[in-house]
Amino acid sequence: MKKILVAVALFVTTLTMAQDMDLVKGGDLSFLKGVKEVNVEFDYSKLTLMKEKKSEATYIQERAEDLNKKSRGNGDNWKKKWEGAKDGIWQPKFIELVNVVMNKDDKDIMFQEGLASAKYTLIAEVAWIFPGWDASVMKQPAKVSMNLKFVETANKSKVLAEITSEEAPGDQWGSQFSNESRIGEGFAKTGKSLAKFLLKKVLK
């Protein structure tokens, strides 16, 4: 019986940690061969959250109001944490993991924000976030979906390749009560998976 329960637990964990990454536009990624640097930009303009796919503005308003009802001022403090998480946690996590995987494979290519001189730009369009939850005994990992578009820096309307990343899981060992930190792990997982995808498809 114990073996069955363990097997079921492993199966459920595998399902939870699943992530799909597909090249949906521009089948040829060879333009990245020999490239030393790629500019990175993040776009939250089309972001939705939760299973209901609420707009970011609606999600922030509702959550802030709920937190303020439970403890006055907590919602206002949380709004600052949410906005700060983009530059302080999520984006650095994504970029860090892309570069870590590339470096481990001895690839001389760097992904970084603010590289205006780079020929190509990766626009990480954040499409959907599920923050997850952690109640110590039971928890649900965050999930992050993105559309990853490679464009020419000088002409960003020209999409050379687009990769969809669906429901990258965000979790850590032990308890993690911060939604923002869990989401950051989803960004990290997306960055790691993107790097591995590129290594397999073009940067061999």
Side-chain angles (χ1 to χ4, degrees):
M1 184 64 180
K2 185 180 290 186
K3 289 183 179 179
I4 294 174
L5 290 174
V6 170
V8 170
L10 288 172
F11 178 69
V12 171
T13 300
T14 302
L15 288 178
T16 302
M17 300 305 285
Q19 177 191 6
D20 293 324
M21 186 163 284
D22 297 301
L23 182 62
V24 296
K25 183 175 182 179
D28 186 4
L29 290 163
S30 61
F31 62 87
L32 288 173
K33 287 184 177 180
V35 171
K36 301 295 184 183
E37 57 182 25
V38 176
N39 182 44
V40 182
E41 295 180 1
F42 292 86
D43 180 3
Y44 298 89
S45 62
K46 298 178 182 177
L47 172 61
T48 60
L49 294 106
M50 311 301 288
K51 294 178 181 178
E52 300 85 355
K53 294 193 174 180
K54 302 176 183 180
S55 70
E56 184 179 13
T58 298
Y59 172 75
I60 289 174
Q61 179 182 348
E62 291 179 354
R63 180 159 173 78
E65 288 176 354
D66 183 55
L67 291 172
N68 278 332
K69 286 177 183 177
K70 294 177 179 177
S71 181
R72 186 177 177 183
N74 273 7
D76 299 321
N77 292 331
W78 169 80
K79 285 171 67 174
K80 294 177 182 177
K81 285 175 58 181
W82 178 265
E83 284 303 322
K86 293 176 180 177
D87 288 325
I89 303 175
W90 304 348
Q91 294 165 198
K93 284 274 191 179
F94 176 92
I95 292 172
E96 177 187 0
L97 266 294
V98 172
N99 290 324
V100 163
V101 173
M102 292 296 181
N103 290 337
K104 282 185 177 180
D105 208 72
D106 295 323
K107 300 303 179 185
D108 187 21
I109 181 172
M110 177 181 70
F111 288 74
Q112 190 63 52
E113 291 182 273
L115 295 178
S117 62
K119 185 175 182 179
Y120 301 110
T121 292
L122 168 64
I123 300 177
E125 184 181 277
V126 187
W128 180 74
I129 291 175
F130 176 72
W133 46 268
D134 193 332
S136 293
V137 178
M138 297 181 66
K139 60 181 179 178
Q140 178 71 39
K143 298 183 181 70
V144 177
S145 295
M146 292 190 198
N147 297 318
L148 303 162
K149 300 177 181 179
F150 285 95
V151 302
E152 292 182 353
T153 302
N155 182 15
K156 293 178 182 174
S157 63
K158 185 174 182 178
V159 180
L160 303 172
E162 182 175 351
I163 300 165
T164 59
S165 172
E166 298 290 336
E167 299 192 5
D171 201 5
Q172 294 173 311
W173 291 107
S175 294
Q176 179 50 262
F177 301 111
S178 168
N179 286 359
E180 292 70 47
S181 293
R182 277 195 305 277
I183 293 168
E185 293 305 309
F187 273 68
K189 174 65 175 176
T190 304
K192 181 178 181 180
S193 296
L194 173 63
K196 289 185 174 181
F197 184 87
L198 296 177
L199 288 171
K200 179 180 179 181
K201 295 294 183 180
V202 66
L203 302 176
K204 298 177 182 178

